[in-house]
Amino acid sequence: MDEKLQKVLARAGQGSRREMETRIREGRVLVNGVVATLGDRVSTKDTITIDGYEIVATEAGENRRVIIYNKPEGEVCTRKDPEGRPTVFDKLPKLRGERWIAVGRLDINTSGLLLFTTDGELANRLMHPSTEIDREYLVRVMGEVKEENLAALKKGIILDDGVAKFTDIVDGGGEGINRWFYVCLMEGRNREVRRLWESQGVKVNRLKRVRFGPVFLPSKAKVGRWVEMEETEVNSLCSMVDLKLSELKPKTQQQKLELKRHKNKATAGGARRGGAAKGFDWQSSDKQEFKPKKPGKRSFR
């Protein structure tokens, strides 16, 4: 089936459709050796290159992959950092003719769940505000938090870029000046969780994302390591954003061995390459995850 060139390139993980349209206009995309133009339609039988590199074009839903990465503090959400800092892409499995696309971002001082996919269309839909996918964070704040502060945070606060709010807040325990909370919000604006708490005169000193929509951070995804989602789980994610589902095919023996190799590499490789960044106790891969003494009822799960 023929499809628009920019759609095929986005699905192949080369970037957003808008980015692909820009590359096409700049004459950087060739189809069967001829410079492509906007409006061109292609199929999987065509040879497509960007800047001289051949792209693997697939049908919708074919070879779609999603991985869950447990980001440590100290890593940035860019492919290459001019300051030489480690990036979230450094430890991901290598791809040929495709690339991993991050679903959203976390700032350098925030740890926890990040999704990556090879399907640009899936990434765009998961990030689009219209899908209204909620994010859940475990946060520790320093300062006095009163009931009126929590009420204000759930009602809405005017920030520099508009009104923001938590859809739910659950007490996670804590003693003295530091307290833990689980918070949930429906968008992912820059430093939004931190700015909301700062509006109430308290400071966030630890922040970890533990859920993105229906996807929870699994305990087997240790800090600085990744876990690949099963095909059925990926299809559940796709159905939520009205994307064509992948056809579930029985794995060959070679595919099973390759999957096992990737899983072993994800489990052991992170530690060999330096492992988790030094930080808080609940970041350490050698210690148990933080568990609040009285987590209470978390109504948004």
Side-chain angles (χ1 to χ4, degrees):
M1 179 183 295
D2 289 347
E3 294 182 282
K4 288 185 177 179
L5 176 58
Q6 60 266 34
K7 183 177 181 179
V8 172
L9 291 174
R11 186 167 63 238
Q14 299 304 306
S16 68
R17 289 193 193 182
R18 184 172 297 178
E19 290 172 333
M20 294 303 98
E21 289 172 357
T22 299
R23 293 190 186 187
I24 294 170
R25 290 193 190 95
E26 293 172 346
R28 297 164 60 186
V29 182
L30 303 183
V31 178
N32 300 323
V34 179
V35 177
T37 59
L38 280 178
D40 285 353
R41 301 181 72 86
V42 296
S43 71
T44 55
K45 297 179 180 179
D46 292 307
T47 301
I48 306 170
T49 60
I50 297 181
D51 298 331
Y53 293 94
E54 187 170 342
I55 305 304
V56 179
T58 59
E59 298 285 355
E62 185 181 353
N63 298 331
R64 179 186 289 138
R65 297 175 64 186
V66 179
I67 57 177
I68 302 169
Y69 179 63
N70 190 347
K71 175 190 176 297
E73 290 187 2
E75 289 185 355
V76 292
C77 291
T78 56
R79 295 185 185 277
K80 294 183 180 179
D81 182 63
E83 299 178 29
R85 295 171 296 185
T87 82
V88 294
F89 293 92
D90 292 344
K91 299 172 186 174
L92 303 187
K94 303 302 180 183
L95 297 172
R96 180 176 297 178
E98 299 176 291
R99 69 174 183 171
W100 292 112
I101 299 175
V103 179
R105 302 165 65 92
L106 294 176
D107 67 50
I108 190 170
N109 295 318
T110 300
S111 65
L113 188 153
L114 263 179
L115 291 179
F116 292 87
T117 179
T118 55
D119 189 333
E121 185 68 18
L122 174 60
N124 290 335
R125 294 197 186 191
L126 290 173
M127 289 186 285
H128 200 279
S130 64
T131 58
E132 296 186 336
I133 297 176
D134 56 342
R135 289 90 160 156
E136 183 183 346
Y137 295 82
L138 173 62
V139 55
R140 195 180 83 168
V141 298
M142 182 175 64
E144 185 179 9
V145 180
K146 299 179 180 179
E147 288 301 320
E148 49 262 40
N149 299 125
L150 301 180
L153 289 170
K154 288 192 286 186
K155 183 177 180 180
I157 302 294
I158 300 177
L159 302 177
D160 293 340
D161 51 358
V163 178
K165 67 177 181 179
F166 294 129
T167 56
D168 207 346
I169 306 173
V170 175
D171 192 343
E175 299 176 354
I177 197 171
N178 291 305
R179 290 180 61 184
W180 292 91
F181 293 93
Y182 289 100
V183 298
C184 190
L185 71 169
M186 302 297 292
E187 53 192 359
R189 283 187 263 169
N190 184 39
R191 299 185 72 255
E192 189 170 3
V193 175
R194 297 180 188 275
R195 290 187 292 146
L196 277 168
W197 284 107
E198 287 169 1
S199 74
Q200 302 304 299
V202 297
K203 182 180 180 181
V204 172
N205 52 26
R206 300 184 186 181
L207 182 61
K208 179 177 185 177
R209 184 155 70 187
V210 296
R211 179 171 63 88
F212 184 93
V215 182
F216 289 85
L217 184 63
S219 59
K220 60 183 177 181
K222 301 302 182 183
V223 178
R225 303 175 190 175
W226 56 269
V227 173
E228 182 154 6
M229 294 177 66
E230 298 290 341
E231 290 178 281
T232 53
E233 297 171 329
V234 175
N235 273 348
S236 295
L237 201 59
C238 292
S239 64
M240 186 176 67
V241 292
D242 298 324
L243 263 186
K244 179 181 177 181
L245 307 186
S246 301
E247 182 181 351
L248 300 181
K249 300 177 181 178
K251 290 184 174 62
T252 64
Q253 187 64 27
Q254 180 63 34
Q255 289 173 323
K256 291 178 181 178
L257 290 173
E258 184 71 10
L259 182 60
K260 183 177 180 180
R261 186 180 70 81
H262 278 311
K263 287 184 177 180
N264 290 339
K265 187 176 181 180
T267 302
R272 287 197 299 269
R273 291 187 293 269
K278 292 182 180 179
F280 309 120
D281 286 348
W282 52 270
Q283 270 200 295
S284 173
S285 59
D286 297 322
K287 299 181 180 180
Q288 294 183 345
E289 293 282 334
F290 167 77
K291 293 183 179 179
K293 294 180 180 179
K294 297 179 180 180
K297 185 178 179 181
R298 299 164 69 176
S299 59
F300 45 81
R301 282 202 174 190

